[in-house]
Amino acid sequence: MTSLPWIDSDDLWFPPAEQALDEPDGLLALGGDLSQERLLLAYHSGIFPWYSDEQPILWWSPDPRCVLFPDEVHISRSLRRTLNQGRFRVTTDRAFNQVIQHCAARREGTWITPEMMTAYRQLHVQGIAHSFEAWNSDGKLVGGLYGIALGRCFFGESMFSLEPNASKVLLVTIAHQLGLWGYKMMDCQVESGHLLRMGARTIPRSDFLSILSNNVDSQPDQDSWSIRWRWPGAMVKHGE
């Protein structure tokens, strides 16, 4: 069995992403901590943490990588009707704590440990981690996604949905808004049927790392994290 590098908490480094295992796909290293400095280094390097309570921190960089390019989001006929109805209002950074709590409560979301929640809340306070929220006509939070924004790249961490189509409306709005802000890519980490149907696709890790190197240190074209995009013809305005 191939041995993995162990990272001590006082050593701020990662092995090159290209050294990640093929099986399990993308497992690169273990150990370290979830300090702001280490997390930022990880995302700059195409690496993210993913582990459960009984494990040490595991660091991953899968190949291929699932991404969504803003101009490739797919809108089906049924989703177009939902958007036209304006059933959901989308905001940013209104309920970060609630979003991450809902994501952690998902049956498959047990990897969002209390330690992870604390770390990403701290990044949110620093203006690095952000949330997108979907609200229904009754003002109830029914969908959300949180992630990390670095340069012109947004790294999606997790999302939840409590009503049909809420996550689809959320992804369409996020994609169009990120495009308006000049973001080149939304990292989705690992593929799923839902993401692929929404227009996400997998690319080689080498291409993913190249996109990062060209965009992660550049500035997006935005003056705030308020939603500016509105679906044409929607009855309910997204945003404020």
Side-chain angles (χ1 to χ4, degrees):
M1 179 178 179
T2 304
S3 60
L4 288 170
W6 176 269
I7 300 173
D8 292 326
S9 295
D10 55 354
D11 290 335
L12 189 60
W13 72 286
F14 285 104
E18 294 85 353
Q19 294 182 11
L21 299 179
D22 294 328
E23 183 59 42
D25 179 26
L27 183 56
L28 177 67
L30 53 118
D33 55 28
L34 296 177
S35 66
Q36 176 176 315
E37 294 77 15
R38 191 179 304 280
L39 285 170
L40 292 181
L41 176 61
Y43 285 102
H44 271 86
S45 306
I47 301 164
F48 59 88
W50 188 22
Y51 66 105
S52 56
D53 276 324
E54 67 276 9
Q55 297 174 319
I57 300 173
L58 304 179
W59 300 94
W60 302 78
S61 184
D63 186 18
R65 189 79 163 225
C66 185
V67 301
L68 175 63
F69 296 105
D71 61 351
E72 293 184 2
V73 66
H74 175 67
I75 303 175
S76 66
R77 289 183 178 179
S78 60
L79 178 55
R80 192 176 299 273
R81 288 194 295 270
T82 299
L83 288 163
N84 287 335
Q85 293 167 357
R87 291 165 46 195
F88 301 102
R89 183 170 61 97
V90 178
T91 59
T92 57
D93 288 343
R94 289 287 192 86
F96 185 90
N97 289 338
Q98 291 175 261
V99 169
I100 197 169
Q101 287 169 356
H102 277 291
C103 289
R106 295 171 53 200
R107 183 171 58 184
E108 64 274 31
T110 54
W111 60 272
I112 305 177
T113 65
E115 184 183 22
M116 288 274 281
M117 294 176 73
T118 297
Y120 285 87
R121 283 169 174 158
Q122 291 172 347
L123 289 175
H124 176 61
V125 171
Q126 296 299 317
I128 300 168
H130 299 275
S131 62
F132 291 86
E133 305 93 13
W135 311 83
N136 66 14
S137 58
D138 295 326
K140 179 183 176 182
L141 180 65
V142 294
L145 177 148
Y146 76 94
I148 302 292
L150 292 177
R152 295 177 182 268
C153 298
F154 185 80
F155 302 81
E157 273 297 309
S158 185
M159 71 182 303
F160 78 95
S161 178
L162 302 180
E163 288 189 7
N165 293 316
S167 65
K168 295 179 182 179
V169 170
L170 197 61
L171 279 174
V172 168
T173 305
I174 291 171
H176 281 276
Q177 185 61 73
L178 291 177
L180 289 176
W181 283 333
Y183 282 73
K184 298 302 181 183
M185 174 187 70
M186 175 177 164
D187 175 30
C188 302
Q189 298 181 348
V190 181
E191 67 181 281
S192 69
H194 174 61
L195 289 170
L196 296 178
R197 287 190 292 273
M198 291 298 299
R201 57 186 169 100
T202 58
I203 61 174
R205 180 171 54 217
S206 57
D207 291 353
F208 177 78
L209 295 176
S210 178
I211 293 171
L212 290 188
S213 66
N214 291 326
N215 293 283
V216 78
D217 291 319
S218 59
Q219 292 300 313
D221 304 321
Q222 66 184 98
D223 55 6
S224 74
W225 270 85
S226 297
I227 290 289
R228 302 301 181 196
W229 180 77
R230 179 189 176 196
W231 174 256
M235 297 168 58
V236 178
K237 183 178 181 181
H238 297 296
E240 300 292 340

